[in-house]
Amino acid sequence: MQQKKELNIQMGSCIRKARLQAGLTQEAFAELLHLGPKHISAMERGTVGLSMETLQNICQVLHVSADTLLFGDIEKSPADALSGLGGFLLKNLPR
């Protein structure tokens, strides 16, 4: 069994959430990406990493940003993200 890297596990979980939100099965998702269902399963479990090309294709198919998959902001709306950024800037900018 391949060793899981923490980033791969986190990203795989985000891919799975986004795939489910898009209403896709692993089989349908695999077909859209021209990959096998076993590869999709391995990505979602974090046992394999992603190439940049695969990441780009996933983002296009699921209509999500790479940031969403890398940092797990699937539930956040753009307004939530801006609100969080505003709070961060207020706390950290010199006065």
Side-chain angles (χ1 to χ4, degrees):
M1 186 169 130
Q2 295 178 353
Q3 183 179 5
K4 296 181 183 182
K5 292 183 180 178
E6 188 61 33
L7 179 60
N8 291 346
I9 294 168
Q10 291 173 356
M11 189 178 236
S13 176
C14 290
I15 290 169
R16 180 178 184 277
K17 287 178 188 176
R19 175 183 60 78
L20 292 173
Q21 285 181 352
L24 295 171
T25 64
Q26 285 185 341
E27 292 78 14
F29 188 44
E31 191 172 313
L32 290 169
L33 293 173
H34 306 289
L35 299 171
K38 288 183 180 181
H39 190 78
I40 299 299
S41 176
M43 281 190 318
E44 290 183 357
R45 289 190 324 270
T47 58
V48 297
L50 304 174
S51 69
M52 293 302 291
E53 181 180 359
T54 299
L55 176 60
Q56 184 178 31
N57 291 339
I58 288 170
C59 291
Q60 289 173 344
V61 166
L62 296 178
H63 304 287
V64 297
S65 70
D67 283 352
T68 297
L69 299 179
L70 287 167
F71 302 110
D73 294 336
I74 290 175
E75 275 81 35
K76 290 186 178 179
S77 70
D80 291 338
L82 287 175
S83 174
L85 177 61
F88 172 81
L89 291 173
L90 286 173
K91 291 179 188 174
N92 294 292
L93 285 177
R95 296 180 189 244

Coordinates of all heavy atoms in Angstrom, one line a residue:
M1 N 0.8 -1.2 0.0 CA 0.0 0.0 0.0 C 0.9 1.2 0.0 O 1.9 1.3 0.7 CB -0.9 0.0 1.2 CG -1.9 1.1 1.3 SD -3.1 0.8 2.6 CE -3.0 2.4 3.4
Q2 N 0.5 2.2 -0.8 CA 1.3 3.4 -0.9 C 1.1 4.3 0.4 O 0.0 4.3 1.0 CB 0.8 4.3 -2.1 CG 1.1 3.5 -3.4 CD 0.6 4.4 -4.6 OE1 0.0 5.4 -4.4 NE2 1.0 3.9 -5.8
Q3 N 2.1 5.0 0.8 CA 2.0 5.9 1.9 C 1.2 7.1 1.6 O 1.4 7.7 0.5 CB 3.5 6.3 2.3 CG 3.5 7.2 3.6 CD 4.9 7.6 3.9 OE1 5.8 7.3 3.3 NE2 5.0 8.2 5.1
K4 N 0.4 7.5 2.5 CA -0.5 8.7 2.3 C 0.2 9.9 2.8 O 0.8 9.9 3.9 CB -1.8 8.6 3.0 CG -2.7 7.4 2.5 CD -4.0 7.4 3.2 CE -4.8 6.2 2.8 NZ -6.1 6.2 3.5
K5 N 0.2 11.0 2.0 CA 0.7 12.3 2.5 C -0.4 13.1 2.9 O -1.5 13.1 2.3 CB 1.5 13.0 1.3 CG 2.7 12.3 0.9 CD 3.4 13.1 -0.1 CE 4.7 12.4 -0.6 NZ 5.4 13.1 -1.6
E6 N -0.3 13.9 4.0 CA -1.3 14.7 4.6 C -2.0 15.6 3.5 O -3.2 15.7 3.5 CB -0.8 15.5 5.7 CG -1.9 16.2 6.5 CD -3.0 15.2 7.1 OE1 -2.6 14.1 7.5 OE2 -4.1 15.6 7.2
L7 N -1.2 16.2 2.7 CA -1.8 17.1 1.7 C -2.7 16.3 0.7 O -3.8 16.8 0.3 CB -0.7 17.9 0.9 CG -1.2 18.8 -0.2 CD1 -2.1 19.9 0.3 CD2 0.0 19.4 -0.9
N8 N -2.2 15.1 0.3 CA -3.0 14.3 -0.6 C -4.3 13.9 0.0 O -5.4 13.9 -0.6 CB -2.2 13.1 -1.0 CG -1.1 13.4 -2.0 OD1 -1.0 14.5 -2.5 ND2 -0.2 12.4 -2.1
I9 N -4.3 13.6 1.3 CA -5.5 13.2 2.0 C -6.5 14.4 2.1 O -7.7 14.2 1.8 CB -5.2 12.7 3.5 CG1 -4.3 11.4 3.4 CG2 -6.4 12.5 4.3 CD1 -3.7 11.0 4.7
Q10 N -6.0 15.5 2.5 CA -6.9 16.7 2.6 C -7.5 17.1 1.2 O -8.6 17.4 1.1 CB -6.1 17.9 3.1 CG -5.7 17.8 4.6 CD -4.8 18.9 5.0 OE1 -4.4 19.7 4.3 NE2 -4.5 18.9 6.3
M11 N -6.6 17.1 0.2 CA -7.1 17.4 -1.2 C -8.1 16.4 -1.7 O -9.1 16.7 -2.3 CB -5.9 17.6 -2.1 CG -6.2 18.1 -3.4 SD -4.8 18.2 -4.4 CE -4.8 19.9 -4.8
G12 N -7.8 15.1 -1.4 CA -8.7 14.1 -1.8 C -10.1 14.2 -1.2 O -11.1 14.0 -1.9
S13 N -10.1 14.6 0.1 CA -11.4 14.8 0.7 C -12.1 16.0 0.1 O -13.3 15.9 -0.1 CB -11.1 15.1 2.2 OG -12.3 15.4 2.9
C14 N -11.4 17.0 -0.2 CA -12.1 18.2 -0.9 C -12.6 17.8 -2.3 O -13.7 18.3 -2.7 CB -11.1 19.4 -1.0 SG -10.7 20.1 0.6
I15 N -11.8 17.0 -3.0 CA -12.3 16.6 -4.3 C -13.5 15.8 -4.2 O -14.5 15.9 -4.9 CB -11.1 15.8 -5.0 CG1 -10.0 16.7 -5.4 CG2 -11.7 15.1 -6.3 CD1 -8.8 16.0 -5.9
R16 N -13.5 14.9 -3.2 CA -14.7 14.0 -3.0 C -16.0 14.9 -2.7 O -17.0 14.7 -3.2 CB -14.5 13.0 -1.9 CG -15.7 12.1 -1.6 CD -15.4 11.1 -0.5 NE -16.5 10.2 -0.3 CZ -17.5 10.5 0.5 NH1 -17.6 11.6 1.1 NH2 -18.5 9.6 0.6
K17 N -15.8 15.9 -1.8 CA -16.9 16.8 -1.4 C -17.4 17.5 -2.6 O -18.6 17.6 -2.8 CB -16.5 17.7 -0.3 CG -16.3 17.1 1.0 CD -15.8 18.2 2.0 CE -15.5 17.5 3.4 NZ -14.9 18.5 4.3
A18 N -16.5 18.1 -3.4 CA -16.9 18.8 -4.6 C -17.6 17.9 -5.6 O -18.5 18.3 -6.3 CB -15.7 19.5 -5.2
R19 N -17.0 16.7 -5.8 CA -17.7 15.7 -6.7 C -19.1 15.4 -6.3 O -20.0 15.4 -7.1 CB -16.8 14.5 -6.8 CG -17.5 13.4 -7.6 CD -16.7 12.1 -7.7 NE -16.5 11.5 -6.4 CZ -17.4 10.7 -5.7 NH1 -18.6 10.6 -6.2 NH2 -17.1 10.2 -4.5
L20 N -19.3 15.2 -5.0 CA -20.6 14.8 -4.5 C -21.6 16.0 -4.7 O -22.7 15.9 -5.0 CB -20.5 14.4 -3.1 CG -19.9 13.0 -2.8 CD1 -19.7 12.7 -1.3 CD2 -20.7 11.9 -3.5
Q21 N -21.0 17.2 -4.4 CA -21.9 18.5 -4.6 C -22.3 18.6 -6.0 O -23.3 19.2 -6.3 CB -21.1 19.7 -4.1 CG -21.1 19.8 -2.6 CD -20.4 21.1 -2.1 OE1 -19.8 21.8 -2.9 NE2 -20.4 21.3 -0.8
A22 N -21.4 18.2 -6.9 CA -21.7 18.3 -8.4 C -22.7 17.1 -8.8 O -23.1 17.1 -9.9 CB -20.4 18.2 -9.2
G23 N -22.9 16.2 -7.9 CA -23.9 15.1 -8.2 C -23.3 14.0 -9.1 O -24.0 13.4 -9.8
L24 N -21.9 13.9 -9.0 CA -21.3 12.9 -9.9 C -20.8 11.7 -9.1 O -20.4 11.8 -8.0 CB -20.0 13.5 -10.5 CG -20.2 14.6 -11.5 CD1 -18.9 15.3 -11.8 CD2 -20.9 14.1 -12.7
T25 N -21.0 10.5 -9.7 CA -20.4 9.3 -9.1 C -18.9 9.2 -9.5 O -18.5 10.0 -10.4 CB -21.1 8.0 -9.7 OG1 -20.8 8.0 -11.1 CG2 -22.6 8.0 -9.5
Q26 N -18.2 8.4 -8.8 CA -16.8 8.2 -9.2 C -16.6 7.8 -10.6 O -15.7 8.2 -11.3 CB -16.1 7.2 -8.2 CG -15.8 7.8 -6.9 CD -15.0 6.8 -6.0 OE1 -15.0 5.6 -6.3 NE2 -14.4 7.3 -4.9
E27 N -17.5 6.9 -11.1 CA -17.5 6.4 -12.5 C -17.7 7.5 -13.5 O -17.0 7.7 -14.5 CB -18.5 5.3 -12.7 CG -18.2 4.0 -11.9 CD -18.5 4.1 -10.4 OE1 -19.2 5.0 -10.0 OE2 -18.0 3.2 -9.7
A28 N -18.7 8.4 -13.2 CA -19.0 9.5 -14.1 C -17.9 10.5 -14.1 O -17.5 11.0 -15.2 CB -20.4 10.1 -13.8
F29 N -17.4 10.8 -12.9 CA -16.3 11.7 -12.8 C -15.0 11.2 -13.5 O -14.4 12.0 -14.3 CB -16.0 11.9 -11.3 CG -15.0 13.0 -10.9 CD1 -15.1 14.3 -11.5 CD2 -14.1 12.8 -9.9 CE1 -14.2 15.3 -11.2 CE2 -13.2 13.8 -9.6 CZ -13.2 15.0 -10.2
A30 N -14.7 10.0 -13.4 CA -13.6 9.3 -14.0 C -13.7 9.5 -15.6 O -12.8 9.8 -16.3 CB -13.5 7.9 -13.6
E31 N -14.9 9.2 -16.1 CA -15.2 9.3 -17.5 C -14.9 10.7 -18.0 O -14.3 10.9 -19.0 CB -16.6 8.9 -17.8 CG -16.8 8.7 -19.3 CD -18.2 8.0 -19.5 OE1 -18.6 7.1 -18.9 OE2 -18.9 8.6 -20.4
L32 N -15.4 11.7 -17.3 CA -15.2 13.1 -17.7 C -13.7 13.5 -17.7 O -13.3 14.4 -18.4 CB -16.0 14.1 -16.7 CG -17.5 14.0 -16.9 CD1 -18.2 14.8 -15.7 CD2 -17.9 14.6 -18.2
L33 N -12.9 12.9 -16.8 CA -11.5 13.2 -16.7 C -10.6 12.3 -17.5 O -9.4 12.5 -17.5 CB -11.1 13.1 -15.2 CG -11.7 14.2 -14.3 CD1 -11.3 13.8 -12.8 CD2 -11.2 15.6 -14.6
H34 N -11.3 11.3 -18.2 CA -10.5 10.3 -18.9 C -9.5 9.6 -18.1 O -8.4 9.3 -18.4 CB -9.8 11.0 -20.1 CG -10.7 11.8 -21.0 ND1 -11.7 11.2 -21.8 CD2 -10.8 13.1 -21.2 CE1 -12.3 12.2 -22.4 NE2 -11.9 13.3 -22.1
L35 N -10.0 9.2 -16.9 CA -9.2 8.4 -15.9 C -10.1 7.2 -15.5 O -11.3 7.2 -15.8 CB -8.9 9.2 -14.7 CG -8.0 10.5 -14.8 CD1 -8.0 11.3 -13.5 CD2 -6.6 10.1 -15.3
G36 N -9.4 6.2 -14.9 CA -10.2 5.1 -14.4 C -10.8 5.4 -13.0 O -10.3 6.2 -12.3
P37 N -11.9 4.7 -12.7 CA -12.6 4.9 -11.4 C -11.7 4.5 -10.3 O -11.8 5.1 -9.2 CB -13.8 3.9 -11.5 CG -14.0 3.6 -12.9 CD -12.7 3.8 -13.6
K38 N -10.8 3.5 -10.4 CA -9.9 3.2 -9.4 C -8.9 4.3 -9.1 O -8.5 4.5 -7.9 CB -9.1 1.9 -9.7 CG -9.9 0.7 -9.7 CD -9.1 -0.6 -9.9 CE -10.0 -1.8 -9.9 NZ -9.2 -3.0 -10.1
H39 N -8.5 5.1 -10.1 CA -7.6 6.2 -9.9 C -8.4 7.3 -9.1 O -7.8 7.9 -8.3 CB -7.1 6.7 -11.3 CG -6.0 7.7 -11.1 ND1 -4.7 7.4 -10.9 CD2 -6.1 9.1 -11.2 CE1 -4.0 8.5 -10.8 NE2 -4.8 9.6 -11.0
I40 N -9.6 7.5 -9.5 CA -10.4 8.5 -8.7 C -10.5 8.1 -7.3 O -10.3 9.0 -6.4 CB -11.8 8.7 -9.4 CG1 -11.8 9.1 -10.8 CG2 -12.7 9.6 -8.5 CD1 -11.1 10.5 -11.0
S41 N -10.8 6.9 -7.0 CA -10.9 6.4 -5.7 C -9.6 6.6 -4.9 O -9.6 7.1 -3.8 CB -11.3 4.9 -5.7 OG -11.3 4.4 -4.4
A42 N -8.5 6.3 -5.6 CA -7.2 6.5 -4.9 C -6.9 8.0 -4.7 O -6.3 8.3 -3.6 CB -6.1 5.9 -5.8
M43 N -7.3 8.8 -5.6 CA -7.1 10.3 -5.4 C -7.9 10.7 -4.1 O -7.4 11.5 -3.3 CB -7.5 11.1 -6.6 CG -6.6 11.1 -7.7 SD -7.0 12.3 -9.0 CE -8.7 12.1 -9.2
E44 N -9.1 10.3 -4.1 CA -10.0 10.7 -3.0 C -9.5 10.2 -1.6 O -9.8 10.8 -0.6 CB -11.5 10.3 -3.3 CG -12.1 11.1 -4.4 CD -13.5 10.8 -4.7 OE1 -14.1 9.9 -4.0 OE2 -14.1 11.5 -5.6
R45 N -8.9 9.0 -1.6 CA -8.3 8.5 -0.4 C -7.0 9.1 0.0 O -6.5 8.9 1.1 CB -8.2 7.0 -0.5 CG -9.5 6.2 -0.5 CD -9.3 4.7 -0.4 NE -8.2 4.2 -1.1 CZ -8.1 3.8 -2.3 NH1 -9.2 3.8 -3.1 NH2 -7.0 3.3 -2.8
G46 N -6.4 9.7 -1.0 CA -5.1 10.4 -0.7 C -3.9 9.4 -0.9 O -2.8 9.7 -0.5
T47 N -4.1 8.3 -1.6 CA -3.0 7.4 -1.8 C -2.2 7.7 -3.1 O -1.1 7.2 -3.3 CB -3.5 5.9 -1.9 OG1 -4.4 5.8 -3.0 CG2 -4.1 5.5 -0.6
V48 N -2.7 8.6 -3.9 CA -1.9 9.1 -5.1 C -2.0 10.6 -5.1 O -3.0 11.2 -4.6 CB -2.4 8.5 -6.4 CG1 -2.3 7.0 -6.5 CG2 -3.9 8.9 -6.7
G49 N -1.0 11.2 -5.6 CA -1.0 12.7 -5.8 C -1.6 13.1 -7.2 O -2.0 12.2 -7.9
L50 N -1.6 14.4 -7.5 CA -2.2 14.9 -8.7 C -1.1 15.6 -9.5 O -0.3 16.3 -8.9 CB -3.3 15.8 -8.4 CG -4.5 15.4 -7.6 CD1 -5.4 16.6 -7.3 CD2 -5.2 14.3 -8.3
S51 N -1.2 15.4 -10.8 CA -0.4 16.3 -11.7 C -1.1 17.6 -11.8 O -2.3 17.8 -11.5 CB -0.2 15.7 -13.0 OG -1.5 15.7 -13.7
M52 N -0.4 18.6 -12.2 CA -1.0 20.0 -12.4 C -2.1 19.9 -13.5 O -3.1 20.5 -13.4 CB 0.1 21.0 -12.8 CG 1.0 21.3 -11.7 SD 0.2 21.9 -10.2 CE -0.3 23.5 -10.7
E53 N -1.9 19.1 -14.5 CA -2.9 18.9 -15.6 C -4.1 18.3 -15.0 O -5.2 18.8 -15.3 CB -2.3 18.1 -16.7 CG -3.2 17.9 -17.9 CD -2.7 17.0 -19.0 OE1 -1.5 16.6 -18.9 OE2 -3.4 16.8 -20.0
T54 N -4.0 17.3 -14.2 CA -5.2 16.6 -13.6 C -5.9 17.6 -12.7 O -7.1 17.7 -12.7 CB -4.8 15.3 -12.9 OG1 -4.2 14.4 -13.8 CG2 -6.0 14.7 -12.2
L55 N -5.2 18.3 -11.9 CA -5.8 19.3 -11.0 C -6.6 20.4 -11.8 O -7.7 20.7 -11.5 CB -4.7 20.0 -10.1 CG -5.2 21.2 -9.3 CD1 -6.3 20.7 -8.2 CD2 -4.1 21.8 -8.5
Q56 N -6.0 20.8 -12.9 CA -6.7 21.8 -13.8 C -8.0 21.2 -14.3 O -9.0 21.8 -14.3 CB -5.7 22.3 -14.9 CG -6.3 23.3 -15.8 CD -5.4 23.8 -16.8 OE1 -4.5 23.0 -17.3 NE2 -5.5 25.0 -17.2
N57 N -7.9 20.0 -14.8 CA -9.0 19.3 -15.4 C -10.1 19.1 -14.3 O -11.3 19.3 -14.6 CB -8.7 17.9 -16.0 CG -7.8 18.1 -17.2 OD1 -7.8 19.2 -17.9 ND2 -7.1 17.1 -17.6
I58 N -9.8 18.7 -13.1 CA -10.7 18.5 -12.0 C -11.4 19.9 -11.7 O -12.7 19.9 -11.6 CB -10.0 18.0 -10.8 CG1 -9.6 16.5 -11.0 CG2 -10.9 18.1 -9.5 CD1 -8.7 16.0 -9.9
C59 N -10.7 20.9 -11.7 CA -11.3 22.3 -11.4 C -12.3 22.6 -12.5 O -13.3 23.2 -12.2 CB -10.2 23.3 -11.3 SG -9.1 23.1 -9.8
Q60 N -11.9 22.3 -13.7 CA -12.8 22.7 -14.9 C -14.1 21.8 -14.8 O -15.2 22.3 -15.0 CB -12.1 22.5 -16.2 CG -11.1 23.5 -16.4 CD -10.2 23.3 -17.7 OE1 -10.2 22.2 -18.2 NE2 -9.5 24.3 -18.1
V61 N -14.0 20.5 -14.6 CA -15.1 19.6 -14.5 C -16.0 20.0 -13.4 O -17.3 20.0 -13.5 CB -14.6 18.2 -14.5 CG1 -15.8 17.2 -14.1 CG2 -14.0 17.7 -15.8
L62 N -15.5 20.2 -12.2 CA -16.3 20.5 -11.0 C -16.6 22.0 -10.8 O -17.4 22.3 -9.9 CB -15.5 20.0 -9.8 CG -15.3 18.5 -9.7 CD1 -14.5 18.1 -8.4 CD2 -16.6 17.7 -9.7
H63 N -16.1 22.8 -11.7 CA -16.4 24.3 -11.6 C -16.0 24.8 -10.2 O -16.8 25.5 -9.5 CB -17.8 24.6 -11.9 CG -18.3 24.1 -13.2 ND1 -17.8 24.7 -14.4 CD2 -19.0 23.0 -13.6 CE1 -18.4 24.0 -15.4 NE2 -19.1 23.0 -14.9
V64 N -14.8 24.5 -9.7 CA -14.2 25.0 -8.5 C -12.8 25.5 -8.7 O -12.2 25.1 -9.7 CB -14.2 23.9 -7.4 CG1 -15.6 23.4 -7.0 CG2 -13.3 22.7 -7.8
S65 N -12.3 26.3 -7.9 CA -11.0 26.8 -8.0 C -10.0 25.8 -7.4 O -10.4 25.0 -6.5 CB -10.8 28.2 -7.3 OG -10.9 28.0 -5.9
A66 N -8.7 25.9 -7.8 CA -7.7 25.1 -7.2 C -7.6 25.5 -5.7 O -7.3 24.6 -4.9 CB -6.4 25.3 -7.9
D67 N -7.8 26.7 -5.3 CA -7.8 27.1 -3.9 C -8.8 26.3 -3.1 O -8.5 25.9 -2.0 CB -8.1 28.6 -3.7 CG -6.9 29.5 -4.1 OD1 -5.8 29.0 -4.3 OD2 -7.1 30.7 -4.1
T68 N -10.0 26.1 -3.7 CA -11.0 25.4 -3.0 C -10.5 24.0 -2.7 O -10.7 23.5 -1.6 CB -12.3 25.3 -3.8 OG1 -12.8 26.7 -4.0 CG2 -13.4 24.5 -3.2
L69 N -9.9 23.3 -3.7 CA -9.4 22.0 -3.5 C -8.2 21.9 -2.6 O -8.0 21.0 -1.8 CB -9.1 21.3 -4.8 CG -10.3 21.2 -5.8 CD1 -9.9 20.6 -7.1 CD2 -11.5 20.4 -5.1
L70 N -7.3 22.9 -2.7 CA -6.1 22.9 -1.8 C -6.4 23.3 -0.4 O -5.8 22.7 0.5 CB -5.1 23.9 -2.4 CG -4.4 23.4 -3.7 CD1 -3.7 24.6 -4.3 CD2 -3.4 22.3 -3.4
F71 N -7.3 24.2 -0.2 CA -7.5 24.8 1.2 C -8.8 24.4 1.8 O -9.1 24.8 2.9 CB -7.3 26.3 1.2 CG -5.9 26.7 0.7 CD1 -5.7 27.3 -0.5 CD2 -4.8 26.4 1.4 CE1 -4.5 27.6 -1.0 CE2 -3.5 26.7 1.0 CZ -3.4 27.3 -0.2
G72 N -9.7 23.7 1.0 CA -10.9 23.2 1.6 C -12.0 24.3 1.9 O -12.7 24.1 2.8
D73 N -12.1 25.3 1.0 CA -13.1 26.3 1.2 C -14.4 26.0 0.5 O -15.1 26.9 0.0 CB -12.6 27.7 0.8 CG -11.5 28.1 1.7 OD1 -11.4 27.7 2.9 OD2 -10.6 29.0 1.3
I74 N -14.8 24.8 0.4 CA -16.0 24.4 -0.5 C -17.3 25.0 0.0 O -18.1 25.5 -0.7 CB -16.1 22.9 -0.6 CG1 -15.0 22.3 -1.4 CG2 -17.4 22.5 -1.2 CD1 -14.9 20.9 -1.5
E75 N -17.5 25.1 1.3 CA -18.7 25.6 1.9 C -18.7 27.1 1.9 O -19.8 27.7 2.1 CB -19.0 25.1 3.3 CG -19.7 23.8 3.3 CD -18.7 22.6 3.1 OE1 -17.6 22.7 3.6 OE2 -19.1 21.6 2.4
K76 N -17.6 27.8 1.8 CA -17.5 29.3 1.9 C -17.9 29.9 0.6 O -17.5 29.5 -0.5 CB -16.1 29.7 2.3 CG -15.8 29.4 3.7 CD -14.4 30.0 4.0 CE -14.1 29.7 5.5 NZ -12.8 30.2 5.8
S77 N -18.7 30.9 0.7 CA -19.1 31.7 -0.5 C -18.0 32.8 -0.7 O -17.2 33.1 0.2 CB -20.4 32.4 -0.3 OG -20.3 33.4 0.7
P78 N -17.9 33.4 -1.9 CA -17.0 34.5 -2.1 C -17.1 35.6 -1.1 O -16.1 36.2 -0.7 CB -17.3 35.0 -3.5 CG -17.9 33.8 -4.2 CD -18.7 33.1 -3.1
A79 N -18.3 35.9 -0.7 CA -18.5 37.0 0.3 C -17.9 36.6 1.7 O -17.3 37.4 2.3 CB -20.0 37.2 0.5
D80 N -18.0 35.3 2.0 CA -17.4 34.8 3.3 C -15.9 34.9 3.2 O -15.2 35.3 4.1 CB -17.8 33.3 3.5 CG -19.2 33.1 3.9 OD1 -19.9 34.1 4.3 OD2 -19.7 32.0 3.7
A81 N -15.3 34.6 2.0 CA -13.9 34.7 1.9 C -13.4 36.1 2.0 O -12.4 36.4 2.6 CB -13.5 34.1 0.5
L82 N -14.1 37.0 1.4 CA -13.8 38.5 1.5 C -13.9 39.0 2.9 O -13.1 39.7 3.4 CB -14.6 39.3 0.5 CG -14.3 39.2 -1.0 CD1 -15.3 39.9 -1.8 CD2 -12.9 39.6 -1.2
S83 N -14.9 38.5 3.6 CA -15.1 38.9 5.0 C -14.0 38.4 5.8 O -13.4 39.2 6.6 CB -16.4 38.3 5.5 OG -16.6 38.6 6.9
G84 N -13.5 37.2 5.6 CA -12.4 36.7 6.4 C -11.1 37.4 6.1 O -10.3 37.7 6.9
L85 N -10.9 37.8 4.8 CA -9.8 38.6 4.4 C -9.8 39.9 5.0 O -8.8 40.4 5.5 CB -9.7 38.7 2.9 CG -8.6 39.5 2.3 CD1 -7.2 38.9 2.7 CD2 -8.7 39.7 0.8
G86 N -10.9 40.6 5.1 CA -11.1 41.9 5.7 C -10.7 41.9 7.2 O -10.0 42.7 7.7
G87 N -11.2 40.9 7.9 CA -10.9 40.7 9.3 C -9.4 40.5 9.5 O -8.8 41.0 10.4
F88 N -8.8 39.7 8.6 CA -7.3 39.4 8.7 C -6.5 40.7 8.5 O -5.6 41.0 9.3 CB -6.9 38.4 7.7 CG -5.4 38.2 7.6 CD1 -4.8 37.3 8.5 CD2 -4.7 38.8 6.6 CE1 -3.4 37.2 8.4 CE2 -3.3 38.6 6.5 CZ -2.7 37.8 7.4
L89 N -6.9 41.5 7.5 CA -6.2 42.7 7.3 C -6.3 43.7 8.4 O -5.4 44.4 8.8 CB -6.7 43.3 5.9 CG -6.3 42.6 4.7 CD1 -7.0 43.2 3.5 CD2 -4.8 42.5 4.5
L90 N -7.5 43.8 9.0 CA -7.8 44.7 10.1 C -6.9 44.4 11.3 O -6.4 45.2 12.0 CB -9.2 44.7 10.5 CG -10.2 45.5 9.6 CD1 -11.6 45.3 10.0 CD2 -9.8 47.0 9.5
K91 N -6.7 43.1 11.5 CA -5.9 42.6 12.7 C -4.4 42.8 12.4 O -3.7 42.9 13.4 CB -6.2 41.1 13.0 CG -7.6 40.9 13.5 CD -7.8 39.4 13.7 CE -9.2 39.1 14.1 NZ -9.5 37.7 14.2
N92 N -4.0 42.7 11.2 CA -2.6 42.5 10.9 C -1.9 43.7 10.2 O -0.7 43.8 10.1 CB -2.3 41.3 10.0 CG -2.7 40.0 10.8 OD1 -2.0 39.7 11.8 ND2 -3.7 39.3 10.4
L93 N -2.7 44.7 9.8 CA -2.0 45.9 9.2 C -1.6 46.8 10.3 O -2.2 47.0 11.3 CB -3.0 46.6 8.3 CG -3.3 45.9 6.9 CD1 -4.3 46.7 6.1 CD2 -2.0 45.8 6.1
P94 N -0.4 47.4 10.1 CA 0.1 48.4 11.0 C -0.9 49.6 11.1 O -1.5 50.0 10.1 CB 1.4 48.8 10.5 CG 1.6 48.2 9.2 CD 0.5 47.3 9.0
R95 N -1.0 50.2 12.3 CA -1.9 51.3 12.4 C -1.2 52.6 12.5 O -0.1 52.8 12.8 CB -2.8 51.1 13.7 CG -3.6 49.9 13.5 CD -4.5 49.7 14.7 NE -5.1 48.4 14.5 CZ -6.4 48.2 14.4 NH1 -7.2 49.2 14.5 NH2 -6.9 47.0 14.3

